[in-house]
Structure formats: C-alpha cells, structure tokens
Amino acid sequence: MAFHSTFRIFADKTKNTEKLKIIKWGFIGCGEVTEKKSGPAFSEVEGSTVVAVMSRSEMKARSYAERHGIPRWYTDAQKLIDDPEVNAVYVATPPSSHATFAIMAMKAGKPVYVEKPLAASYDDCARVNRISEQTGVPCFVAYYRRYLPYFQRVKDIVNQGTIGKIINVQIRFAVPPRELDYAHPENLPWRLQPDIAGGGYFYDLAPHQLDLLQEMFGVIMEASGFCANRGKIYSAEDSVSAIFRFENGLPGSGSWCFVAHESAREDSIQLIGDQGSLRFSVFDYAPIVLHTSEGTQSITVPNPPYVQYPLIRNVVEHLQGRGVCDCTSVSATPVNWAMDRIYGKF
C-alpha cells in the first residue's frame, strides 16, 4: 500500500535538529496523565528539566506549577512555545489538539513529545509527519509500553522462538462502564466525545495494544471492523470487533467491550504459536502466562514507578545526540490508520 512506503520515506527525515545539552521542557496540558505516568519522569531523567507549563485554566496551570516546582506557567500555548527557555515541548492534551500543538512546536524549531494516539485521525497524523519532514524537527509519541520491562520480556519470548512460529493473534478486552460514563452528555469525559478523542474508549485504549503488536509483527496492512452502541449509556461506540492482517501475513482479531458485566472483565492478548502460546495483559500487567510442551509458566515482571520514564529517557538521549529513539510520529501513524479502518472512517 502507498501509505506504507510513505512511512519509510519519512523515517530518516528528522535528523537535523541541533543537539541539546539540557532538555528544557514546556508542558502543554497538565491533566491526570502528567501527575504520575509522565510528569515526574521528565525531572528524573538526567539532563532533563521542566521549566514551564500551560493550561487554558489559570487555576490549573498555576496550581500545577506551584505543586511541582515549575518556574513559569501560561494560559496560552503559543506563549509557552515562544518562551526562549523552552527548547522541547510535551503535548498532553486530548487528541483533537495534538496535531495543532505539535505543528506549532515544530514550526518554532522545537522537538515535541506527544501523548498517544498521535492524533484523532490518520489525516492529522499525516499532517504532523509532513511538517516534521519539512522542518527536520522530530516528533515523538508516548507509546511508552514499548520500553517497559514487562513488554520487553514478551518480545524476548517471541523473538527467541519459545512458542515457535506465531500463527494467530487475539486481543480481548472487556470492562464495566465507569460511574462517569452515566454523566449528562455535556459532562461526559473527553474520551467519550468523538470530536475530541477520535472515537470512544476504543480510541483511547486500543492504540497501546495495536502499537505493541505492530512493534512485534510489523505494520498492519489490512483492517476492518464493526462498531456498535449496545449499552446506550452514551452516544459513542461501546463495542468493537475487528480483524486485521500484518505485513508478514499474520492474521489477528480483536474484541473490545466497554459496557460489559463485571463477570466478563478481561484484559489480554494471546499469541498462538505452533509450539505453544503466550498470554499477557496490556493495562493490568498481570503475570505473563507461557504454555509450551514443557508445561505452564507464570512470569512476573515489575515496571518502574513512573511508567513513561524509559521512553522519556530515550527521547532525551536522542535529543542530546547520545542515542536514537524510534518511537516517532512516523512509527505511530499506522496505529491511527488501523483504528480509522476498524472504525469505518475510510
């Protein structure tokens, strides 16, 4: 497919950025993801510090800056980007604004790290890649699970051939609705507002699952699905079924339900090989279960306290010229392509 060759063309276009000694981050957005998953890691990584934060809410921006010892705060994203002390930007807003803020930062010559998914649509991802190519300024995406020890162990088991040749992949995810899901339409979480999130919870959670699988098996080249609103709690889709095929010919399927009964709760990906099988979770980090002719093994792998730390460290080292981070907007775009196909946007 044409989109696949386009990704390869873009892959080496973001090497012109001047190497930085100290990465001085400005945060656009200071919501829940920045409190524990990402925010503290930016200051934990050697050669990295946070110097400014922005929120449209003056109260949130000021409070976040004061609580985390950040010297400056803004209510205007352009002012944060224009701050001469800021030399890299972290975009931690809902997906509908990711492309806009990422493009603003790159046009200002400042590398950007964007929360996942890269954007609310494949088309917006393409816009980001185009600007990154034109400016030579890199854009990284927070698919941090690629770098966590838990998933590194999964990849090691696959690459070592422990379960033989992988012949099928199955995603199964089901959770009950949350209390917030019953709110009045005007007060629903942004994840349930398709114009902001791209879709419902599928667009928030499936990206991590699809990204991990594409890391292991290559780009998804074919995808389709059925989406439905079965619970009628909110207007976005709450149940999704999909089939897809990777570039190496491996077939896969997925089932997501966000209004399930508690008895159906599940978070698993199963890799079926010709010499065994492997089951792991994506959000619960339940023990990895390995089945082979030698029996069943349960493998526990702890993750760091700040789960984005390994990826952020890799991004910082890339910007300092001490390493290479391949978790770029180019590598993230196939996730949006697959989701848009499954969702029926094409």
Side-chain angles (χ1 to χ4, degrees):
M1 288 186 177
F3 80 91
H4 189 210
S5 60
T6 301
F7 292 155
R8 296 195 189 282
I9 292 170
F10 285 161
D12 295 318
K13 293 292 187 178
T14 58
K15 297 182 178 178
N16 302 330
T17 303
E18 181 182 352
K19 300 301 182 291
L20 305 171
K21 291 184 178 180
I22 303 296
I23 313 304
K24 300 177 181 179
W25 295 95
F27 287 7
I28 298 179
C30 51
E32 59 180 333
V33 70
T34 67
E35 291 289 351
K36 294 181 180 180
K37 289 184 178 181
S38 63
F42 285 92
S43 298
E44 291 284 328
V45 174
E46 183 179 356
S48 173
T49 187
V50 183
V51 299
V53 64
M54 173 267 168
S55 171
R56 289 180 300 175
S57 165
E58 178 178 335
M59 182 179 68
K60 286 184 178 180
R62 183 195 296 271
S63 172
Y64 191 93
E66 291 175 350
R67 285 186 290 107
H68 295 280
I70 298 171
R72 290 182 299 288
W73 55 268
Y74 297 94
T75 57
D76 184 301
Q78 189 64 61
K79 289 183 177 178
L80 177 138
I81 291 169
D82 291 340
D83 185 329
E85 283 296 303
V86 172
N87 60 19
V89 175
Y90 171 39
V91 177
T93 58
S96 61
S97 58
H98 285 183
T100 297
F101 291 137
I103 288 170
M104 287 167 60
M106 289 187 290
K107 285 186 173 181
K110 300 187 178 183
V112 61
Y113 177 72
V114 184
E115 269 304 323
K116 63 82 209 162
L118 172 57
S121 70
Y122 168 75
D123 287 343
D124 275 351
C125 292
R127 290 174 53 223
V128 171
N129 288 332
R130 186 162 56 249
I131 298 302
S132 182
E133 179 193 25
Q134 291 172 355
T135 61
V137 178
C139 175
F140 305 98
V141 184
Y143 282 120
Y144 60 87
R145 282 177 168 81
R146 296 187 194 180
Y147 294 77
L148 289 177
Y150 180 96
F151 301 106
Q152 290 289 327
R153 184 62 180 278
V154 170
K155 287 191 280 188
D156 286 344
I157 293 171
V158 171
N159 292 337
Q160 289 165 5
T162 306
I163 61 172
K165 179 182 179 180
I166 309 300
I167 55 180
N168 195 268
V169 174
Q170 298 174 6
I171 303 172
R172 290 189 290 275
F173 187 84
V175 290
R178 303 188 305 167
E179 187 175 339
L180 288 173
D181 299 348
Y182 293 94
H184 188 275
E186 294 182 356
N187 298 319
L188 280 173
W190 62 260
R191 291 174 175 85
L192 291 177
Q193 300 179 45
D195 58 330
I196 297 176
Y201 284 126
F202 175 75
Y203 268 75
D204 183 52
L205 299 176
H208 278 302
Q209 298 160 320
L210 296 173
D211 181 73
L212 285 168
L213 292 175
Q214 291 191 111
E215 267 290 285
M216 287 189 275
F217 305 118
V219 171
I220 290 173
M221 301 295 289
E222 298 176 75
S224 62
F226 294 98
C227 304
N229 185 314
R230 302 295 294 168
K232 308 298 182 183
I233 299 173
Y234 42 78
S235 61
E237 87 292 335
D238 57 29
S239 295
V240 178
S241 292
I243 55 173
F244 42 88
R245 189 192 304 272
F246 297 91
E247 59 182 320
N248 65 359
L250 174 67
S253 62
S255 175
W256 295 263
C257 181
F258 305 102
V259 290
H261 186 267
E262 178 62 38
S263 63
R265 183 185 288 271
E266 186 172 8
D267 167 21
S268 74
I269 294 180
Q270 185 172 24
L271 308 180
I272 301 172
D274 59 7
Q275 297 179 32
S277 66
L278 187 67
R279 186 187 300 273
F280 61 97
S281 67
V282 175
F283 305 101
D284 296 339
Y285 307 118
I288 301 164
V289 179
L290 171 64
H291 295 281
T292 65
S293 58
E294 298 179 359
T296 301
Q297 184 179 359
S298 180
I299 305 167
T300 300
V301 182
N303 286 319
Y306 305 129
V307 290
Q308 291 203 28
Y309 178 89
L311 173 53
I312 292 170
R313 180 182 62 194
N314 193 224
V315 169
V316 169
E317 291 174 352
H318 182 116
L319 296 177
Q320 292 173 331
R322 299 190 295 118
V324 176
C325 179
D326 60 7
C327 200
T328 63
S329 60
V330 172
S331 74
T333 296
V335 171
N336 279 80
W337 184 89
M339 289 196 302
D340 282 7
R341 285 281 178 177
I342 292 168
Y343 200 72
K345 289 187 177 181
F346 284 95

